[in-house]
Every structure is written in structure tokens, then in C-alpha cells.
Amino acid sequence: MPGINQVAQLAGVSTATVSRALSGNGHVSETTRHRVRAAARELGYVVSSNASSLATGRMRNIGVVIPFLNRWYFGAVLEGAEQALLRHGYDLTLYNLSGGEDQRTSVFEDFLLRKRVDAVIAISLELTGSEVERLLTINKPIVGVGGSIAGVRTLSIDDGAVAQLATEHLLALGHRTIGFIGGNRQSEMDFHVPSQRRGGFIAALADAGLTADPELFQSADFTIPGGYAAAKQLFGNPRKRPTAVFAASDEMAIGAILAARDLGLSVPDDVSIIGVDDHELAEFFGLTSIAQFPALQGEMAVDILMDQLHPDHTAHASSNTPLPFELIVRSSTSRPKS
Amino acid sequence: MPGINQVAQLAGVSTATVSRALSGNGHVSETTRHRVRAAARELGYVVSSNASSLATGRMRNIGVVIPFLNRWYFGAVLEGAEQALLRHGYDLTLYNLSGGEDQRTSVFEDFLLRKRVDAVIAISLELTGSEVERLLTINKPIVGVGGSIAGVRTLSIDDGAVAQLATEHLLALGHRTIGFIGGNRQSEMDFHVPSQRRGGFIAALADAGLTADPELFQSADFTIPGGYAAAKQLFGNPRKRPTAVFAASDEMAIGAILAARDLGLSVPDDVSIIGVDDHELAEFFGLTSIAQFPALQGEMAVDILMDQLHPDHTAHASSNTPLPFELIVRSSTSRPKS
DNA sequence: GTGAAAGCGCTAACAG
DNA sequence: CTGTTAGCGCTTTCAC
């Protein structure tokens, strides 16, 4: 495990020069730079990021806090962020909060404060005021993805607009009795997203002169089984079976497709279904969906952080662009039969 | 951002004492310990892990290398490892190799060598000899999960035995024409698991006096769509439609269930299907499966590492126990109809 | 352009 | 049981 001074010796220069040559900070003549690099390679030298961090105060590491791992959206954001970070030479340390409240506390009170990370990305998390404040006072930038956090720069699609677009698609096809599968109380807590999607749904209905019917609302937990159960309720209603359903996530929408099949209803002939996300399985199920681009969101979060961390880093125009989303029409929606 | 010396001052002791009191190494009287703790709390002091690491050589951080994020098994292992690490006060830094060969190189040649991690966990990865050697020579323990790596302690179920058990279940129900959906070349590269599962399948057949029929083999990529396509091939064969299928993963098995439905075949009346993993959706689909316990595997990997890192840490008996797996019979398998 | 030297904040002997 | 004192390996003024 060679140290910087061994490299210095081999190259016949001082450690200061080695540091400059390798890090690119400060001027070093071409020739010395080469000698140093050669020496470093020969010895297989790699800087100790600890020593380096201790000296500079930069960790080259960012913390990502996430509520679960096994939900497609989270994984996709994480993957996007990871790629972008690697490209910048940063590490990603992961904090998964699925372990409950105690774990959350320890992550925020201990782990994140250990000065290990330069900044944090919070995915679909509603941070409390004190959690935010704590991080900000020790000067750790935060950016949120998917969900809004008071006082924090957050990247998220306009959930209201997304829901409105989805609903309009159904309306435009001629549907008038439209069911809605949204989040339940549990998911509202941290996501906050469901209620905005519900809002957009109601707004679109109102624009079309319709009023939302409470009988057509179901809530679920954003999973396939959850969507399945909710959809069965909707489709089973003999008096008011919807001809279309808007599910606030593709996973729930897929559950709804399966529920329809099990009830002998044909999609889209008997019932149209639309979701949100463009989940990796959406195409397989022929699901019409409003795509959002989670990997891109993860990357953007990283870009923003890099801007803040290295003020020179050429700011991407993306910085203040509203996030893209897009209606992708597949085979799960059509005009109502009758 | 108070430092250790501020705490020392406030508590009226030396920094050494503060260090001892807070870390629990070395003896400190009860009263001083209390004073120190109080002072630390009052100032909101948190150790700088960099400084601490630099001084001790311990990072309290372990690297996890994983091929993808959005595959249930990986996420589950990761989640198990994460929980266990948090409990030990360790951070987890994530390296996701889905970015291709260059990324893999940079992870192994740069990132992991920066002395940021105390050890690494490789999930379903076939490390090359030089990758292993590199890490071992700089004294970083490695443990593998799910897949075997030459020269490295690896945690993985006996894939041959698992496949054998699954096949025997089908055989015992009376099936004689059994299809197999395994991995394709792509997945064999890093997983290595598929071929063992195929081996177990063939062995079980042989034990029953049957010989494997090449027409009944299909390969796929471990995803639902992949399993779906493979199953369609199997079920579509008019001459030799299997009465049962063993899929080497639950995701593929679920694809097979959907394929059967689409062909108008009833599961299990017309065809029985069994998978491996006990995926989170297995229950929802009524899928009979051989469960393995990925979260547990992640935890065990952590335990092993902790033993190696802190030799005193009471070794869990689990250390050399073969990993558990278990047949879970649901509604996707039954006797063949005829 | 390059070197000397002073830390970065903590821990670990070594004394006492 | 507690204080003193060297570093851990690198970066960064400040001189030259």
C-alpha cells in the first residue's frame, strides 16, 4: 500500500508536487507530471480518500436516502444517480429507511452527520423540518427527488398535471365513468404524491363537467397486489362499474389489468386502464401510461448537487427545467364499448 | 461543527478521554463518561469519521457490488445487508455495475481501492481472478452472495439441490413431460447459477429414470417477459407440450403463468409451474416455489465480514451452515389432468 | 514550477 | 483511570 511519499521518492519530487500532479490542482510542468504519473502507476498508488478528505474537507461521496429498495421507481432513480456519480468520481452511500422509525432516526442523527457525505439526495421522502435543518446547518446541500420537501430543491414531475393528462386521455376516448386507484394513508405519509394525483384527476373531471364520485375511489399501496384488490372492488360494483380506471402507479395499474382478466373483463374492450411511470413491465402488459423518467431524475439530482459543490462545473440548462413526462398509448385503453 | 477538543474543554478532560468515553475503547470512570457524553450532546458533537478512520485504519464502511438494481433478488439481498450493517454502525457504499465493462473496470481499479471500504460484498457476481487478488492483497475481505467465486467465501444455496427438489415435486405429482426454463448465455456469464439449476433438473429426471429432452429446454433472461416468451415456445409445441414447467426463477415462472393463461391453458389443471426464489409476487400469483431467503443471505454476509473485521465479535453459528431453502407449495402445481 | 512545513480531527501507545 | 504526545496520509499556503 504505497503512500504519496513513496511516489514522491520514486519520481524524485516532493509530496506536494505529487499531490498537485495527480489531482490537477496547481501547476506542474508537463515532464514532472509524466514522471509522477509513471511512478504512481508503477507502484499502484491510489490516494487515501480519508487523508485527502481530512485535508480538504471534501468527501467525494454523497448519501442517498430511500424508503424502500424493491419498488421499481426507487431502483430506477437510484440507478440513474449512481451512474452519474460514478462518472464524477463520487461514491454513493445508501441509506434505506425500510427498517422503521428507529432506523430513520439513527440515519439522520448519526450516520448522515458523521461528515461522510458532501450532500444528500432524498428519494420520495418527506423530510421533517428538523431533519432538513440539521443537514443544512452543517452545510450539506439536499436535493429531493419525487416528492416535495419544504425548503429544499426538489425534482419531481408535476403530479397534478400528470394525473390530469391521464384522465383527459380517458375522457377524450369517451369515458364518463372513471375509477381512480390512489394511495392509502400509509403511502400519503411519505410520498405526498398520491394526493396531488388525486387532485389532478378531480380537476380533469371537473373540466369535463363531471364530478368525482366517491364510489369510484379506491386506495392501495402502490403494489400489484394492492392494485389488484382495489380494482376488484371497482369492477365488482354491479351498479356502477367504471368503464375506465386511472391508477396512480403502473404497478397498481398492472394489478388492475390482472383483476379485470380474472373477472372475465376484457381490457380494453370492457375496461380501459391507464397508469403512471412507464414501469419496465408496462410494455409487456400493453399498459398505457404516463411515462416519467426516473433514471434521468436521479442524474439531474446529481447534476444539481455537483453545481452546488463545484461552483465552476458548467451548470446544465436542465437546472430549472420542469421535469418531462409523456403519454404513452398502448393497448390497455380504447373507446368504451357501448 | 464542534471538534473533539471543544468537547474536551467543556467536559474538563483531555481529548484522549473524550475519545475513549465516546468510543467505548479503554476505561473511563462512570462519572467522566457521563460528563463527556453530556458535553458532546450539548455541543451536538459527532466524530469526523475521516479523522477517525485515518487514525485507526478502519472505515466502518463496506462496499457492495451488484450487477443490477431492479431485480428482486438483488434488492432483497441488499436490503438485508443494509439493515445488518446499520445495526453495526457501518455504512454501505453501493457499486452498481449495470453501466457496462468500463464502469466495472473503474469500480474495481479505482473506487474500491481508494481505501474507503473495509471489505466488499459481491452479489451474484463472478469476479475475475485479478479482481479478487487485487482486493485481497490490499487486505480487503470479500464475501460473495449467490454465485460462487474462486478463492472467496461465498454464500449461496445449493442450486443443484434446489433444482432437484423442484423437479422431484413435479415428478412426485406424476408429471413425466417437464419443461425447463433456464438462463441464457448472457446471464450465465455472471450468474453461473443457471447451469447448476439445469444440472439439478437433469439429475432429478435421471433419478426417476427419465432423460431430459432438448425440445423441452428454453432459455430466458430471468425476467417476466423472458419467461413468458420461453413458456410460449414450450406450450405452443403441438407434439410435445409439457404438463409441467420448472423455471429457474420466479420471475420467469410468473411469465410462464401469464403465457399459459394467454394460451387458454389453465394452471395447474393443464400445466403445473414451479419457480425458485419465493419472489414477493409469488404468493399473489399462487406460484409454487422453492424459497430462498435473500435478506437473510445479505445479513449473513455481513456477519461473516464482521467476524473477520472484529475477531472478537461472537461468531454466529450460522457461519458455516448451508443456506436454507424450502419448498412452498401453492396453487400452481398439481397432478397432471389425464 | 517546486519544496518545506503546518495542519485536517482523531486515536493509541506510553506514562503517570 | 486519565493526560501527553506522536502520528494517520494528504493538501495547501508560503517561500523560493
Side-chain angles (χ1 to χ4, degrees), chain A residues 46 49-50 54 59 69 79 82-83 86 89 91-96 98 103 111 114-116, chain B residues 46 49-50 54 59 61 69 79 82-83 86 89 91-96 98 103 111 114-116:
Chain A
V46 199
S49 38
N50 278 301
L54 185 55
M59 312 302 149
L69 240 27
E79 198 149 323
E82 159 86 359
Q83 303 294 347
L86 236 47
D91 279 334
L92 182 164
T93 119
L94 181 68
Y95 299 100
N96 167 193
S98 63
Q103 193 174 96
F111 286 84
R114 281 192 198 162
K115 302 161 191 177
R116 277 269 191 127
Chain B
V46 199
S49 38
N50 279 301
L54 185 55
M59 312 302 148
N61 184 25
L69 240 26
E79 198 149 321
E82 159 86 359
Q83 304 294 347
L86 237 47
D91 279 334
L92 182 165
T93 120
L94 180 69
Y95 299 100
N96 167 194
S98 64
Q103 192 174 97
F111 287 83
R114 280 192 200 161
K115 303 161 190 178
R116 278 267 192 126

Side-chain angles (χ1 to χ4, degrees), chain A:
Chain A
M1 257 176 292
I4 198 175
N5 37 39
Q6 319 220 29
V7 179
Q9 246 182 308
L10 212 186
V13 296
S14 72
T15 62
T17 302
V18 173
S19 173
R20 287 189 277 250
L22 261 27
S23 71
N25 295 50
H27 286 205
V28 178
S29 77
E30 267 309 300
T31 48
T32 8
R33 182 193 313 293
H34 279 311
R35 269 221 311 286
V36 171
R37 277 218 237 275
R41 196 162 318 119
E42 181 174 340
L43 296 168
Y45 169 76
V46 199
V47 296
S48 152
S49 38
N50 278 301
S52 165
S53 292
L54 185 55
T56 60
R58 276 191 165 10
M59 312 302 149
R60 304 201 127 250
N61 183 25
I62 91 103
V64 174
V65 191
I66 207 172
F68 297 100
L69 240 27
N70 267 315
R71 198 67 78 248
W72 177 78
Y73 176 80
F74 300 146
V77 174
L78 191 54
E79 198 149 323
E82 159 86 359
Q83 303 294 347
L85 285 170
L86 236 47
R87 237 178 280 134
H88 287 280
Y90 272 63
D91 279 334
L92 182 164
T93 119
L94 181 68
Y95 299 100
N96 167 193
L97 263 28
S98 63
E101 208 47 46
D102 287 359
Q103 193 174 96
R104 179 173 183 141
T105 312
S106 93
V107 165
F108 281 96
E109 317 233 305
D110 292 358
F111 286 84
L112 287 176
L113 301 180
R114 281 192 198 162
K115 302 161 191 177
R116 277 269 191 127
V117 300
D118 291 317
V120 355
I121 296 180
I123 304 184
S124 288
L125 230 39
E126 192 88 24
L127 303 188
T128 69
S130 79
E131 285 166 347
V132 170
E133 189 191 9
R134 228 195 210 84
L135 288 170
L136 258 27
T137 59
I138 62 171
N139 230 321
K140 304 273 173 251
I142 313 176
V143 17
V145 176
S148 66
I149 305 173
V152 168
R153 175 79 189 279
T154 303
L155 256 34
S156 76
I157 49 174
D158 180 337
D159 285 293
V162 163
Q164 204 150 347
L165 175 57
T167 311
E168 280 167 17
H169 170 67
L170 263 16
L171 254 9
L173 286 170
H175 293 277
R176 287 296 171 271
T177 312
I178 304 178
F180 176 79
I181 301 179
N184 50 22
R185 198 149 300 111
Q186 157 69 29
S187 42
E188 299 266 343
M189 282 190 29
D190 257 310
F191 292 38
H192 202 202
V193 167
S195 57
Q196 288 174 247
R197 294 197 181 156
R198 178 156 23 82
F201 171 69
I202 294 173
L205 251 35
D207 285 354
L210 299 173
T211 86
D213 179 341
E215 274 195 76
L216 296 175
F217 279 73
Q218 283 291 330
S219 55
D221 60 0
F222 280 71
T223 66
I224 291 181
Y228 179 88
K232 278 228 162 155
Q233 291 301 112
L234 250 20
F235 297 149
N237 184 334
R239 302 264 164 86
K240 203 178 284 172
R241 184 166 66 67
T243 62
V245 167
F246 166 43
S249 86
D250 276 359
E251 279 159 291
M252 295 193 291
I254 289 170
I257 289 179
L258 296 171
R261 282 189 198 169
D262 283 358
L263 288 172
L265 296 171
S266 151
V267 174
D269 291 342
D270 297 315
V271 57
S272 285
I273 295 174
I274 185 171
V276 178
D277 272 353
D278 198 26
H279 189 281
E280 58 178 348
L281 290 175
E283 177 157 20
F284 176 72
F285 283 101
L287 178 64
T288 293
S289 182
I290 311 289
Q292 63 174 320
F293 306 92
L296 179 66
Q297 296 171 12
E299 281 176 46
M300 285 178 63
V302 170
D303 281 347
I304 292 175
L305 254 19
M306 290 300 140
D307 278 358
Q308 262 167 271
L309 263 19
H310 314 276
D312 52 295
H313 179 264
T314 49
H316 286 225
S318 64
S319 265
N320 247 321
T321 306
L323 296 188
F325 57 86
E326 186 184 337
L327 171 64
I328 302 205
V329 182
R330 298 203 178 86
S331 56
S332 68
T333 50
S334 72
R335 309 192 71 80
K337 207 166 38 180
S338 83

